[in-house]
Amino acid sequence: MKSLPVGQLLVESGFINDEQLKDALTRQKTEFHGEKIGEILVKLGYVSETQVANALAERLKVPFVDIATKKIDPEAVKKIPEEVARKYIVLAFRVQNGRLIVATNDPVNFYIFEELKITTGMEIYPQLAAKSAIVEAIDRAYSQSTASDIMNDINKEYDANEALMQAEGDGSDERIDNAPVVKLVNTLVENAYRKNASDIHVEPFKTKTRIRFRIDGELVEQMSVKANVHNALVTRIKILAGMNIAEKRIPLDGRYGMRIDGVNQDLRVSSIPTVYGEKVVIRLLATGDEKARKITDLGMTDYNYEMFSSILRCPHGVLLVTGPTGSGKSTTLYAALGELSKPNVNIVTVEDPVEKKMDGINQVQINDKAGMTFAAALRSILRQDPDVIMLGEIRDGETADIAIRAAITGHLVLSTLHTNDAAGTIMRLVDMGVAPYMVATSLIGVVAQRLVKLLCPHCKEQIRLTDPADLRLIGKSEPTVVCAPRQGGCRECNGTGYRGRTAIHEIIVAGNDIREMIATNATAEQISDQARKKGTRLLRENVTEMVLDGRTSMDELVKASYSV
């Protein structure tokens, strides 16, 4: 059964052609020694894992299950220990007529099912699923199960000891060494990582502590714990982050790392005192274990990509990426650095903090207490013979002035600013005290960006737009059909109606005409109008196109680009 011609079945099903199968068989002997033909075809991009799994299921007469969309019974999950599930890549998702229904990517490996039968004491009924879908489902199912169990343990322990803890006086509830609290902190971070959350919020109130994750830019409540657990939870986080656990009256910052699913995850912790205790936010930072995005993966339209690439070809000058906090500016800068990084180019960055460690790039961490400010670091870097300099942020006039002068003396300088649009960035530099002629001489381009949530492709629905105000926003005069999130969403989008985010961009290339306008103190509106004549597409135009294509909603258009 193991030598079934899956490749031929994929050809017969129309998923691949004979040439692709022949190529995969040849490379199986020369490049992918010992790997199954289905796995090789997936690696080469000829088919998807789901198509291979469907073909296998048909050949083996085993039911195929899309485990990503299947409702998973927590009681069934508990029948198989997590370490066994991960070892054999199996997930029990339902109990039916005394049999355990199990998702597997290897339904002919009878040794696995014999061991599972001994472990569970139940008959095993295997169903075939894609390997990556099973791994994701295992992460999701066991994380939820673990979090639920830990919450029960904590509530039982603190209920049983509440009278004792009150008798011992203030501070006795800071039992940070007990196993449930330690497990809870670890589980929170693991769940946040697996749900692609950017932040974890631990917020104290009178009767409870609320825990929320920021997923795709929106805060989503995950759970709440009893108020008497709060101090122990916060103290555990502060110990991990190297913060002063005795100091609760002032804001504190810390940092630590965790290994999750084989990836080293960096975590930045911030605490601030509130009326009911310390509120803590844990930010999950990108790390060197994750590949930096390429500039082709930034969500730019082909037109914007061409403009951005033309700016990066300049040997010297200033490129600024602007937008509010959390709009993906750092991701864009890192992608640009990845494009510029070559063995014969010396790149030095100054960041606070260094969010992502990149190979082949010299990264400098700011330390204000030691006098290592952006301006001081930048002065020193100019004596390090750099070709490209990346500044995490231009925060003041002194830093702006040094950055501009560095560009004029033959360096390519990349940095960020907090402004609302591309043209406004130029005015901001002048407001900081940089002479207009200096800005005009050095500036090569400005990229303004926002992150926009994408509608869930599984549950989005069409609506007829008739409100005159909404129609004006998208430049239409007649009622128009657009897409909107379904109320309550679906399983795929965790009930939000949205799944994933992408960036929208507004790019100004500083040609001779724009430079002349900057030097003669033109207004932001005049510069913006000229840039549009030269081909710049505004943020609203980019997001409007996405609304008309059914990729995002009117709500996201308003959030990203509405102005009075």
Side-chain angles (χ1 to χ4, degrees):
M1 290 181 75
K2 287 186 180 181
S3 58
L4 289 170
V6 177
Q8 195 57 47
L9 184 60
L10 288 166
V11 173
E12 291 171 11
S13 303
F15 293 135
I16 58 171
N17 56 43
D18 288 321
E19 286 299 314
Q20 290 171 327
L21 177 58
K22 189 176 177 182
D23 177 41
L25 288 168
T26 303
R27 293 172 76 167
Q28 186 181 36
K29 296 172 186 173
T30 59
E31 194 176 331
F32 300 103
H33 301 288
E35 292 192 39
K36 295 176 183 176
I37 194 68
E39 293 174 353
I40 296 168
L41 287 164
V42 171
K43 282 185 179 178
L44 295 175
Y46 294 151
V47 287
S48 68
E49 266 193 288
T50 303
Q51 288 171 333
V52 172
N54 267 305
L56 265 174
E58 186 179 330
R59 179 63 77 192
L60 299 173
K61 307 299 180 191
V62 174
F64 172 79
V65 59
D66 184 358
I67 197 66
T69 58
K70 204 76 177 171
K71 186 175 181 181
I72 297 171
D73 180 2
E75 293 305 313
V77 171
K78 292 176 183 176
K79 301 285 183 186
I80 300 175
E82 185 176 354
E83 58 272 18
V84 175
R86 292 190 184 279
K87 179 181 176 183
Y88 295 125
I89 313 178
V90 293
L91 178 67
F93 63 92
R94 193 168 77 245
V95 177
Q96 186 177 329
N97 300 327
R99 294 191 300 177
L100 194 61
I101 317 297
V102 173
T104 175
N105 71 320
D106 192 4
V108 295
N109 193 333
F110 304 111
Y111 298 107
I112 292 175
F113 306 120
E114 281 301 313
E115 185 172 330
L116 293 179
K117 185 177 178 181
I118 294 166
T119 303
T120 62
M122 299 177 73
E123 287 292 326
I124 306 298
Y125 182 63
Q127 294 192 2
L128 201 142
K131 182 177 178 180
S132 63
I134 297 172
V135 172
E136 286 180 15
I138 287 172
D139 289 340
R140 191 169 65 247
Y142 283 97
S143 293
Q144 290 169 349
S145 176
T146 304
S148 176
D149 291 343
I150 290 169
M151 288 302 305
N152 291 333
D153 289 345
I154 286 177
N155 287 332
K156 284 176 188 173
E157 179 166 340
Y158 277 80
D159 284 345
N161 292 287
E162 191 166 10
L164 173 65
M165 285 153 55
Q166 285 175 352
E168 290 175 355
D170 187 46
S172 63
D173 57 344
E174 293 181 358
R175 303 173 63 202
I176 47 81
D177 58 341
N178 75 72
V181 169
V182 172
K183 285 181 185 174
L184 178 60
V185 174
N186 292 343
T187 303
L188 283 176
V189 176
E190 288 169 4
N191 286 2
Y193 173 81
R194 288 166 184 158
K195 290 183 177 183
N196 289 322
S198 60
D199 301 88
I200 304 167
H201 290 245
V202 180
E203 304 164 313
F205 296 99
K206 188 174 182 179
T207 59
K208 66 176 183 179
T209 289
R210 181 174 65 182
I211 296 169
R212 298 190 290 176
F213 293 171
R214 188 175 291 282
I215 303 171
D216 291 338
E218 294 288 323
L219 281 170
V220 181
E221 185 166 345
Q222 298 296 309
M223 64 178 77
S224 51
V225 296
K226 293 188 176 181
N228 59 2
V229 183
H230 180 77
N231 281 348
L233 182 59
V234 169
T235 305
R236 174 62 187 168
I237 295 169
K238 288 171 75 173
I239 285 173
L240 288 170
M243 297 155 73
N244 183 356
I245 61 171
E247 183 57 79
K248 301 181 180 183
R249 300 164 301 169
I250 59 173
L252 297 172
D253 291 299
R255 189 169 182 154
Y256 74 104
M258 260 183 80
R259 191 165 179 82
I260 308 170
D261 299 342
V263 174
N264 291 314
Q265 180 65 52
D266 286 339
L267 305 155
R268 193 170 70 208
V269 181
S270 171
S271 73
I272 190 168
T274 70
V275 289
Y276 292 113
E278 288 177 283
K279 178 185 187 295
V280 173
V281 175
I282 304 172
R283 167 151 285 194
L284 284 75
L285 302 173
T287 65
D289 287 14
E290 299 168 17
K291 287 185 179 177
R293 293 196 180 201
K294 297 180 180 177
I295 61 171
T296 49
D297 301 330
L298 296 175
M300 288 185 180
T301 60
D302 292 341
Y303 186 74
N304 280 336
Y305 172 73
E306 286 299 322
M307 294 177 78
F308 190 55
S309 298
S310 69
I311 295 170
L312 291 180
R313 289 192 200 105
C314 296
H316 53 81
V318 176
L319 165 63
L320 294 172
V321 182
T322 78
T325 302
S327 59
K329 299 188 297 295
S330 295
T331 301
T332 300
L333 281 183
Y334 282 131
L337 290 179
E339 188 79 7
L340 295 167
S341 181
K342 294 178 177 63
N344 61 340
V345 177
N346 178 23
I347 300 177
V348 187
T349 75
V350 187
E351 305 170 63
D352 184 26
V354 175
E355 290 190 17
K356 182 174 182 58
K357 298 178 180 72
M358 295 184 72
D359 214 25
I361 293 174
N362 307 288
Q363 294 171 280
V364 177
Q365 170 71 52
I366 288 300
N367 186 340
D368 286 327
K369 289 178 183 175
M372 185 69 156
T373 62
F374 274 105
L378 190 48
R379 282 195 199 93
S380 298
I381 283 171
L382 291 172
R383 295 192 286 273
Q384 290 279 319
D385 185 32
D387 297 302
V388 179
I389 300 168
M390 192 272 268
L391 280 171
E393 183 184 345
I394 292 179
R395 294 182 176 176
D396 51 48
E398 185 184 9
T399 308
D401 190 60
I402 300 169
I404 295 290
R405 290 180 188 279
I408 291 171
T409 53
H411 304 92
L412 180 59
V413 180
L414 283 62
S415 190
T416 68
L417 262 180
H418 291 284
T419 56
N420 291 325
D421 56 21
T425 306
I426 297 162
M427 298 300 101
R428 178 76 190 279
L429 284 173
V430 175
D431 289 342
M432 281 181 162
V434 182
Y437 75 90
M438 295 277 282
V439 177
T441 307
S442 60
L443 194 69
I444 54 173
V446 182
V447 179
Q449 69 179 62
R450 299 284 188 283
L451 288 180
V452 172
K453 289 189 292 184
L454 298 172
L455 289 167
C456 175
H458 299 276
C459 68
K460 67 181 179 182
E461 53 190 20
Q462 290 188 332
I463 60 167
R464 188 175 171 82
L465 209 62
T466 55
D467 189 310
D470 286 341
L471 290 170
R472 276 197 301 273
L473 284 175
I474 59 171
K476 299 286 183 181
S477 55
E478 297 293 325
T480 304
V481 174
V482 297
C483 288
R486 189 174 77 192
Q487 188 72 28
C490 68
R491 185 179 180 82
E492 286 291 308
C493 59
N494 293 317
T496 62
Y498 295 94
R499 189 176 180 189
R501 288 190 293 177
T502 190
I504 54 169
H505 303 85
E506 176 180 308
I507 302 177
I508 291 179
V509 178
N512 290 330
D513 51 348
I514 299 288
R515 287 185 183 135
E516 284 178 19
M517 293 180 75
I518 297 170
T520 54
N521 290 313
T523 64
E525 288 76 14
Q526 289 171 328
I527 292 171
S528 182
D529 289 342
Q530 180 61 27
R532 289 185 74 185
K533 289 176 186 174
K534 300 291 285 186
T536 293
R537 303 196 67 195
L538 301 183
L539 289 169
R540 181 175 293 181
E541 292 169 344
N542 281 285
V543 74
T544 297
E545 189 176 309
M546 290 177 64
V547 169
L548 296 175
D549 288 345
R551 296 175 63 206
T552 194
S553 67
M554 284 299 299
D555 287 342
E556 287 299 293
L557 183 148
V558 171
K559 278 186 196 174
S561 65
Y562 184 78
S563 58
V564 178

